[in-house]
Amino acid sequence: MSRIGKLTIPVPSGVEVQFKDDEIHVKGPKGALTTPTHESVKYELEDGNIRVSRADESRLARAQHGLRRTLLANAIEGVSKGFEKSLEVIGVGYKVNVKGNTIELAVGYSHPVLMELPKGMEAKVEGNKLTIMGIDKQMVGEIAARIRRVREPEPYKGKGIKYTTETIRRKAGKSGGK
């Protein structure tokens, strides 16, 4: 049995879950999300908890069991609490600004890099720290990865855009030999 799949998903108060034919609609205080279902996985709502189980013991059902449970748990957590990722902009003259739903990055190029945030996403800046917030975990991670890709951190001086939780392995500079 899948260790992740057998865990029940608690449904917090204020979150509404509706099971449709091929998708599950989750509605909460922060918004609404839809997650797809699979025919080899069954969902049961009992006493404010959702139990996810397999229809059979096929390889496909075992593969989908933990995945579908995690997707549903992330949707429930997203509409109730939300997700966020933090990035740091490190370098002399490097800065970041948020204007409405546009992120403006000045990271050493001859022009500022503008990134448009999708609907439902927010960003805030505190000094050199950029925080991306939203209800869809996958979308928050994707936007943060795209921003990081603009100027990945380099190993010699550590300049670039990195996650706040990330550590950069530093390399030694030139050795003074002739």
Side-chain angles (χ1 to χ4, degrees), residues 33-98:
L33 286 174
T34 303
T35 185
T37 62
H38 196 271
E39 64 269 358
S40 61
V41 178
K42 297 184 287 189
Y43 302 89
E44 299 148 15
L45 178 62
E46 52 187 45
D47 303 330
N49 289 321
I50 298 175
R51 180 174 302 283
V52 181
S53 59
R54 298 181 221 167
D56 54 44
E57 289 298 316
S58 67
R59 183 182 179 102
L60 179 64
R62 290 194 315 266
Q64 294 294 320
H65 187 203
L67 169 70
R68 299 299 168 170
R69 185 244 173 238
T70 302
L71 290 176
L72 180 56
N74 286 342
I76 290 171
E77 186 179 342
V79 298
S80 59
K81 298 177 195 166
F83 294 101
E84 64 179 44
K85 282 254 189 197
S86 296
L87 298 148
E88 275 184 289
V89 180
I90 300 169
V92 176
Y94 286 16
K95 56 188 174 193
V96 60
N97 289 320
V98 176

Side-chain angles (χ1 to χ4, degrees), residues 81-142:
K81 298 177 195 166
F83 294 101
E84 64 179 44
K85 282 254 189 197
S86 296
L87 298 148
E88 275 184 289
V89 180
I90 300 169
V92 176
Y94 286 16
K95 56 188 174 193
V96 60
N97 289 320
V98 176
K99 296 176 183 168
N101 68 337
T102 304
I103 298 172
E104 184 179 327
L105 298 163
V107 286
Y109 296 118
S110 61
H111 58 283
V113 178
L114 302 174
M115 297 195 79
E116 198 77 24
L117 285 175
K119 187 178 173 190
M121 302 285 291
E122 297 176 39
K124 69 177 182 183
V125 177
E126 295 169 5
N128 68 340
K129 187 176 170 187
L130 172 68
T131 305
I132 308 294
M133 297 167 290
I135 61 172
D136 188 357
K137 186 174 187 177
Q138 185 265 331
M139 186 64 75
V140 169
E142 178 63 29

